[in-house]
Amino acid sequence: MIDVTEETTSELNGPGTPDEWAAYLATAAPGPETAAVLPVLDAEKLSRTGRIDALKALERHTGWIQAHQAQILAALEAEAEAELPAAVRERDAEAAWNFTCEEVACALKLSGTTAAKRLEVARELDRQYPTTLGMLERGEICYMQAVAVTEACAVLDPEVAGQVEAALVEKMPGMATGQTRRALAREILRADPHGAEQRHQARKRERQMVHYPKDDGMALWGATLPAEQAAAMNAAVDAHAATLPDEGRTLEQKRVDALVDLVLNRTDPGAATASVQASGEPVLGEPTPSGSAPSRPVPDRSGLGGPITSGPTTGGRSAAVVQVTVPLDVLIGDSDDPAQLKGYGPITAGQARRIAFAKGTVWHRLIIEPKTGMLIKTDPTTYKPTAETERHVIARDAYCTFPTCRMPARRCDLDHVEPFNHHDPAAGGQTVPENLGALCRRHHRMKTHHPDWSVKRDSRTGTTTWTAPTGHRYTNRPHDYRH
């Protein structure tokens, strides 16, 4: 055991002050040598910047420790399997004879269910996903990302699961856990479209109502149902809520009241419409105005794609719209790649086609930049964006542009990256898509009123870079319509 003192740390040929050690350990590959120095990261001796670096360093080492724990759990599981009688080698029978779970539960003070889950994840990481386990050991991803890989890929054959893992290896270190899960869902749909459709149909047959009691005289009520139906219902609730008077109610309270009204009183707020954005082969150029389109336009193989909506929109936000973004080749049946259902995530090609060709659906076209997948003019000297600009920015950003925030863009404010000059509009930040970004109310307030937070946007790549009060920088890349 190394007693970490100033003399010890200097002998390790590393930095000197606690802040310098924190900055070094935040990026260094974790291991026994670096772990021995962690006591240097004393919260009382670190600056605010140093504390953020220390958090990153500790998180990397947590991953290193969890990877080693997974290896030990996998070894215990393998040993127990080897000792089983030949007659109980099948997984279902094995569960009744393998009592490793009980010992792990006692040793780690876990429930039997949690211990079994730890063993299962460890076994899969060790046998099927050594690359993911290696990234965890190097502190490049967190344990929950590794869990996400094992859970999402459990429905796949080993070969296909390996393809999915390989597709995300370079991306996962830059992702949060939620982003990792969404990326996995999309890659699984792309790698196994036929299986995904079969699984969707099987789950569809299991649809059900859910009703759970909650504290203080409340209850949770809802349903497990196909994502496109949930999206349509959500849009209908939002549309009806918008017609209700405030009467001191928050938006969420109005949405609940709207749902109750729709169910109990059968109020008809107007049918929810479907909006499908079809993006074909990437083409440079300006977005085409949506205008009106036939409910089933003849697919055009020119390489352009576009959205499908059944009803006029105002101010960039439709009254009750279900929006799906789907490549043109998927619409016409040349590909089974996944589509994107707004507010949910990736869906199967079959689901997308059913929405696209439903009665009353209208198609609009999106054109994307081929290298980045980013959605590619308006009056630049007015503070309020035009409807066309608003639609464009909402479709382009998809979510709040603060890293890790997943508030849908349609519920966000459109903020000027470079502030608009109300006294001399021509001299300030212009009201054009390149200078606008979707920000939820919290992050809009933070950017506007917190003097030490700042943001810049690269108009070429669409990447926003946020600088925190500590000087740390965090990037957020725009929604990629190719994936």
Side-chain angles (χ1 to χ4, degrees), residues 132-423:
T132 298
L133 183 59
M135 288 194 293
L136 179 63
E137 186 174 14
R138 294 189 297 275
E140 296 172 359
I141 62 172
C142 71
Y143 178 72
M144 292 311 298
Q145 286 177 280
V147 171
V149 171
T150 65
E151 290 179 340
C153 296
V155 297
L156 302 175
D157 293 335
E159 184 179 350
V160 178
Q163 294 172 8
V164 171
E165 181 193 33
L168 293 178
V169 163
E170 294 183 2
K171 300 176 183 178
M172 276 199 291
M175 292 178 168
T177 302
Q179 293 170 323
T180 300
R181 287 190 179 277
R182 284 185 289 274
L184 282 163
R186 193 167 188 87
E187 287 301 329
I188 287 170
L189 290 178
R190 179 177 285 115
D192 184 27
H194 180 65
E197 181 63 27
Q198 287 183 322
R199 290 189 293 273
H200 170 66
Q201 293 300 330
R203 291 295 297 273
K204 190 174 179 179
R205 290 190 288 272
E206 297 171 1
R207 58 193 183 276
Q208 60 179 340
M209 294 291 300
V210 291
H211 182 194
Y212 302 122
K214 304 282 281 187
D215 293 337
D216 303 317
M218 304 297 283
L220 175 67
W221 182 89
T224 301
L225 72 167
E228 64 270 24
Q229 291 181 354
M233 293 171 67
N234 205 49
V237 168
D238 283 348
H240 190 40
T243 69
L244 302 179
D246 286 344
E247 298 177 342
R249 293 178 288 187
T250 65
L251 176 59
E252 283 305 309
Q253 290 169 342
K254 287 172 63 178
R255 295 180 77 234
V256 172
D257 294 344
L259 174 62
V260 172
D261 195 26
L262 288 170
V263 173
L264 298 184
N265 301 324
R266 298 186 179 183
T267 305
D268 181 11
T273 63
S275 165
V276 180
Q277 298 180 340
S279 55
E281 292 297 320
V283 178
L284 290 169
E286 296 294 326
T288 302
S290 53
S292 62
S295 60
R296 290 200 185 186
V298 177
D300 119 25
R301 297 176 181 264
S302 65
L304 302 180
I308 313 175
T309 326
S310 65
T313 62
T314 346
R317 290 176 171 85
S318 301
V321 172
V322 177
Q323 183 173 312
V324 181
T325 304
V326 50
L328 181 61
D329 55 355
V330 172
L331 280 180
I332 63 180
D334 282 353
S335 169
D336 284 322
D337 275 359
Q340 189 79 5
L341 176 62
K342 179 174 280 190
Y344 174 78
I347 59 175
T348 68
Q351 285 177 281
R353 293 188 195 109
R354 286 190 287 275
I355 296 171
F357 292 105
K359 183 180 179 181
T361 300
V362 179
W363 296 15
H364 301 286
R365 179 171 57 182
L366 291 182
I367 304 173
I368 62 174
E369 207 284 329
K371 292 184 179 178
T372 66
M374 184 176 66
L375 186 65
I376 311 272
K377 198 158 127 184
T378 56
D379 181 358
T381 59
T382 58
Y383 178 69
K384 183 175 175 56
T386 65
E388 179 188 357
T389 297
E390 190 172 0
R391 281 194 296 270
H392 177 93
V393 175
I394 289 171
R396 181 197 69 197
D397 291 348
Y399 301 97
C400 171
T401 55
F402 184 80
T404 74
C405 184
R406 300 296 288 180
M407 177 67 74
R410 69 183 183 278
R411 295 187 182 176
C412 291
D413 301 330
L414 297 193
D415 175 64
H416 288 77
V417 179
E418 180 186 346
F420 184 83
N421 188 329
H422 290 273
H423 301 293

Side-chain angles (χ1 to χ4, degrees), residues 3-38:
D3 181 19
V4 180
T5 62
E6 290 185 11
E7 184 177 335
T8 301
T9 54
S10 63
E11 288 175 359
L12 291 175
N13 297 319
T17 68
D19 271 13
E20 290 172 342
W21 271 108
Y24 169 73
L25 293 171
T27 57
E33 297 81 6
T34 55
V37 188
L38 291 179

